[in-house]
Amino acid sequence: MGTALVYDDEMTKYKLLWVDPVCELEVPERLQVSHQALVRSGLAGRCVPVPVREATDEEVLLVHSAEYLEGVKKTPFMDLEDLMAFTQQYGDVYFHPNIYHCAKLAIGATLQLVDRVMTGKVRNGMALVRPPGHHSQTSQANGFCVFNNVAIAAQYAKKHHGAKRVLIVDWDIHHGQGIQYCFEDDPSVLYFSWHRYEHQSFWPNLRESDFDSVGSGKGAGFNINVPWNQVGMGNSDYLAVFFHVLLPVAYEFGPDLVLISAGFDSAIGDPEGHMCATPDIFAHLTHLLMNLAGGKVCAVLEGGYNLTSLAQSVCQTVQTLLGDPPPHPANLGGPCESALESVHSARSVHKKYWSCLQHAGEPSTKTCRPAQQDGPQGPQSNGGGEAQKEAIAWPEPLQRVAPSVRTALVLPDAVPCADGCERFSPAEGPDSMATAGLRKHFLKESEDGVNVKLLYNITALVGKMEKNEVWHCLPFPFVPSYVLCVCSKHLHINFNHTLTYGCGDTVGLMQAALGLLLPLGYQYAPGLVLLVRPPGCRAREDLWLQLTGLLQGLAAGHTLVLVQENETASVGITASCLLGNAAPSLGSLAAPGPEDVESFERLRLRLQTDWPLLQTTETW
Ligand SMILES: NCCCNCCCCCC(O)(O)C(F)(F)F
Ligand SMILES: [Zn+2]
């Protein structure tokens, strides 16, 4: 199952024909540099190319009014004067004789992607389109958008593919009010958006973009807004929102399709966003969504105006969709005070709708300190108004080279090797000291099986030899003999930290994984993840596969999974997960048991001082 890439350079053939400082940044080069970067990096060649098509009127009418469509249909025949007059009735958008054609191609590209993903022809994919869509509304164009590509895709997936629950994740730095309005009272579409807000002083300056717009009627709880009230937000702020707002709710919602309104004006260097998150963060954001909906993820380009960070961010997203493990998360700290206030506000207004948030604090009465002149990460020029005083620079993302052997298995002879893997036989195999040490001990003991004590000895021994890091997670005592799956070729092991968390049921463990394990792991940034599956976890195989999938976001995918020999049936599906295939969907999660929530919250409060990425409320 591959990754689709939907692109056609016809969508570069419209541009601003008059002077308008607000619209001049939406240029054809945005699409060209994005596609070029995918081609030059070899990523486009690894994707399944999918042709675009024009949307039909019927598809446009899934979201837009006939009057609006009839109006836009006239624009190809307008002269410059009429185009400008037609444009005047809308805000922050421009028309062009070819924009109607391109707008239909943008929808068509998106629907082609949805068709391929929903019918299982590909696992996931990206549609590189313009004009963008998330600001356009039933009867109006807005913010460079003519038709709402992603909103139409959600309606289309429900109507033509029987999707019951669609999750839309809008990581563009502007609020996609067009999508919010479209699904305001619709519980089958969960719309999540973060956006630069600055207490309503940033465009589109809407009161309904604040965190207390939760949807209405039957849709209450299915609209989640996380406003950024300061610029300069960085990687830790973005991850904190994923761990403590989006992911717990997304797993409880249990979508059967994930649409990403993938705008990259939320990346560093963007003249609209003024944020500090680096392009590699989109590898992690993508990865964290890829085990939802059985991996059915469609990323659709929205904004992004710094051509360098846009191209880098698009590559990071596509490379992750292809299954390559994300890069090491670099020096993450805790979220800033303003971000914590936004996280806390969103959690507290949604606690009544989502049982995973039942322990969120009450809405904070205090308001954040007046927005400082400087964003949390230091001085930023304000708004897009004045020219950047100094060019903002950031390191080019490191090459992410997938190992030649992605997953190797060490198996008792009786157990067949899973397809796509290599059997790691003690004779040959990687010659790193760490592996040699593991192998030596493993072989010496293998006739009478291995127990966890020996496992610790192994890692302790290896730790002496290698000054790298390993992070034990979820160690459980387990019966003798086990199968050792090694993902990628090189091991870096140093016995350093053990976090043990006993948990009653699947839901509790899943929520603990999202709210405790992942933030801890990202902050700890281990060199290796060791996943020790407890005996009898076959009963919760799908949960352990979710963990196996999610934890590959750490340690650049270097994952060691120990499986009980009496569960050799798990080897194939575990190997499939280590090979980058999505874990099966958990469906909608029930409420976690109260005792699990209690122990979870206690552990979080105890650890968050040392691990600030665990925080969900401001500390003052
Ligand atoms: N400087 C503030 C002037 C108003 N600026 C308009 C910004 C439009 C943003 C469009 C977008 O990036 O959200 C999309 F994804 F739709 F393209
Ligand atoms: Zn935007």
Side-chain angles (χ1 to χ4, degrees):
M1 287 253 269
T3 291
L5 178 60
V6 196
Y7 171 75
D8 189 301
D9 74 347
E10 178 61 24
M11 287 181 276
T12 65
K13 298 194 168 70
Y14 78 91
K15 62 181 181 180
L16 183 57
L17 294 174
W18 52 81
V19 175
D20 176 357
V22 163
C23 292
E24 67 190 6
L25 70 176
E26 205 294 306
V27 295
E29 288 75 13
R30 296 179 53 235
L31 219 48
Q32 284 156 342
V33 300
S34 301
H35 186 250
Q36 266 311 315
L38 289 171
V39 171
R40 292 209 185 102
S41 60
L43 290 170
R46 292 173 56 193
C47 292
V48 175
V50 170
V52 298
R53 68 166 170 85
E54 282 200 345
T56 64
D57 285 6
E58 184 196 10
E59 287 157 353
V60 176
L61 296 173
L62 285 171
V63 165
H64 299 283
S65 68
E67 301 73 39
Y68 175 60
L69 176 55
E70 288 320 304
V72 175
K73 268 186 179 173
K74 298 190 178 88
T75 52
F77 315 104
M78 291 180 182
D79 62 17
L80 193 60
E81 197 181 338
D82 292 348
L83 276 174
M84 291 177 80
F86 186 80
T87 296
Q88 281 316 309
Q89 55 187 330
Y90 305 116
D92 300 85
V93 64
Y94 63 88
F95 279 81
H96 175 282
N98 197 33
I99 198 170
Y100 170 56
H101 179 215
C102 295
K104 284 192 289 183
L105 290 178
I107 302 169
T110 307
L111 301 186
Q112 289 280 80
L113 176 58
V114 169
D115 282 341
R116 294 294 187 296
V117 166
M118 289 304 283
T119 56
K121 300 264 184 330
V122 295
R123 172 173 49 199
N124 55 35
M126 176 149 210
L128 278 183
V129 300
R130 69 185 278 272
H134 68 155
H135 298 299
S136 58
Q137 299 148 52
T138 308
S139 299
Q140 62 176 307
N142 180 260
F144 314 154
C145 305
V146 176
F147 297 133
N148 204 314
N149 308 317
V150 166
I152 292 169
Q155 298 292 35
Y156 178 87
K158 286 162 55 182
K159 180 173 179 185
H160 295 282
H161 293 285
K164 293 279 167 294
R165 292 181 301 280
V166 179
L167 169 65
I168 299 175
V169 178
D170 188 336
W171 68 43
D172 185 285
I173 206 59
H174 299 93
H175 181 220
Q177 83 278 37
I179 301 179
Q180 171 168 309
Y181 299 156
C182 185
F183 300 110
E184 178 78 22
D185 61 355
D186 183 345
S188 69
V189 179
L190 172 57
Y191 177 58
F192 166 91
S193 172
W194 62 37
H195 32 271
R196 185 177 167 185
Y197 190 58
E198 293 175 292
H199 302 291
Q200 202 174 333
S201 67
F202 186 71
W203 188 92
N205 314 92
L206 298 170
R207 173 67 186 79
E208 61 271 28
S209 301
D210 210 348
F211 60 82
D212 54 349
S213 288
V214 296
S216 55
K218 291 193 302 300
F222 294 90
N223 190 85
I224 303 178
N225 285 335
V226 177
W228 297 122
N229 288 315
Q230 285 176 10
V231 291
M233 295 298 170
N235 296 346
S236 303
D237 304 304
Y238 286 12
L239 288 173
V241 170
F242 265 56
F243 294 141
H244 303 305
V245 182
L246 174 60
L247 291 173
V249 172
Y251 271 89
E252 185 170 334
F253 179 59
D256 27 50
L257 172 64
V258 178
L259 299 175
I260 303 175
S261 265
F264 297 104
D265 39 19
S266 41
I268 191 166
D270 190 274
E272 280 286 304
H274 286 263
M275 297 299 171
C276 296
T278 46
D280 53 300
I281 198 61
F282 295 102
H284 291 282
L285 302 184
T286 305
H287 173 82
L288 290 166
L289 296 171
M290 276 171 68
N291 287 289
L292 286 161
K296 294 197 289 299
V297 175
C298 299
V300 183
L301 182 67
E302 297 274 8
Y305 307 99
N306 176 308
L307 301 185
T308 306
S309 67
L310 169 63
Q312 290 172 355
S313 304
V314 165
C315 288
Q316 290 294 317
T317 302
V318 170
Q319 184 163 12
T320 306
L321 288 172
L322 281 163
D324 286 6
H328 261 284
N331 47 42
L332 293 166
C336 69
E337 285 300 312
S338 177
L340 278 173
E341 180 165 317
S342 300
V343 165
H344 175 60
S345 300
R347 285 167 55 92
S348 58
V349 291
H350 279 280
K351 68 185 281 188
K352 64 162 91 159
Y353 303 110
W354 301 100
S355 58
C356 58
L357 300 179
Q358 63 188 278
H359 246 69
E362 289 313 314
S364 52
T365 46
K366 45 188 177 258
T367 53
C368 199
R369 288 188 289 261
Q372 307 135 18
Q373 286 319 306
D374 298 344
Q377 261 83 355
Q380 305 282 333
S381 66
N382 63 31
E386 67 197 67
Q388 296 277 356
K389 293 191 195 62
E390 70 296 328
I392 297 177
W394 63 93
E396 171 137 8
L398 297 175
Q399 274 277 1
R400 289 159 57 186
V401 183
S404 54
V405 175
R406 170 151 183 152
T407 301
L409 304 178
V410 177
L411 301 167
D413 297 344
V415 181
C417 195
D419 56 358
C421 301
E422 270 198 26
R423 186 182 284 270
F424 167 77
S425 56
E428 84 272 352
D431 53 3
S432 88
M433 289 254 287
T435 320
L438 266 182
R439 189 169 61 232
K440 187 157 62 72
H441 271 253
F442 177 69
L443 288 176
K444 194 162 76 269
E445 304 289 332
S446 62
E447 49 281 5
D448 58 26
V450 169
N451 62 37
V452 69
K453 189 174 64 53
L454 178 83
L455 181 67
Y456 283 129
N457 295 344
I458 290 178
T459 46
L461 160 96
V462 169
K464 288 193 187 60
M465 290 188 283
E466 304 270 325
K467 291 291 156 254
N468 291 293
E469 295 168 3
V470 69
W471 183 49
H472 259 202
C473 63
L474 312 179
F476 282 80
F478 63 110
V479 296
S481 94
Y482 63 103
V483 166
L484 177 61
C485 303
V486 178
C487 170
S488 92
K489 276 172 43 174
H490 304 291
L491 296 179
H492 308 278
I493 290 187
N494 176 15
F495 178 72
N496 204 339
H497 257 262
T498 298
L499 166 83
T500 307
Y501 178 72
C503 204
D505 68 350
T506 299
V507 179
L509 206 55
M510 195 61 228
Q511 294 300 347
L514 298 171
L516 278 179
L517 196 53
L518 284 174
L520 263 171
Y522 268 81
Q523 192 141 29
Y524 183 62
L528 174 108
V529 171
L530 186 51
L531 188 53
V532 182
R533 288 171 40 126
C537 74
R538 282 268 300 135
R540 301 190 308 211
E541 181 88 89
D542 54 356
L543 170 90
W544 285 94
L545 293 170
Q546 286 289 333
L547 280 183
T548 307
L550 285 165
L551 289 170
Q552 285 178 68
L554 298 172
H558 293 150
T559 311
L560 215 59
V561 181
L562 305 187
V563 174
Q564 307 296 325
E565 186 189 3
N566 58 5
E567 296 186 349
T568 44
S570 303
V571 171
I573 188 144
T574 300
S576 164
C577 235
L578 290 171
L579 285 166
N581 298 313
S585 169
L586 293 174
S588 304
L589 285 186
E595 65 287 348
D596 285 342
V597 179
E598 285 303 322
S599 65
F600 174 106
E601 285 305 318
R602 244 193 332 274
L603 195 52
R604 181 217 299 284
L605 289 176
R606 182 159 64 79
L607 293 171
Q608 69 179 17
T609 320
D610 297 332
W611 304 94
L613 204 44
L614 289 177
Q615 289 172 35
T616 59
T617 58
E618 53 277 46
T619 45
W620 47 284

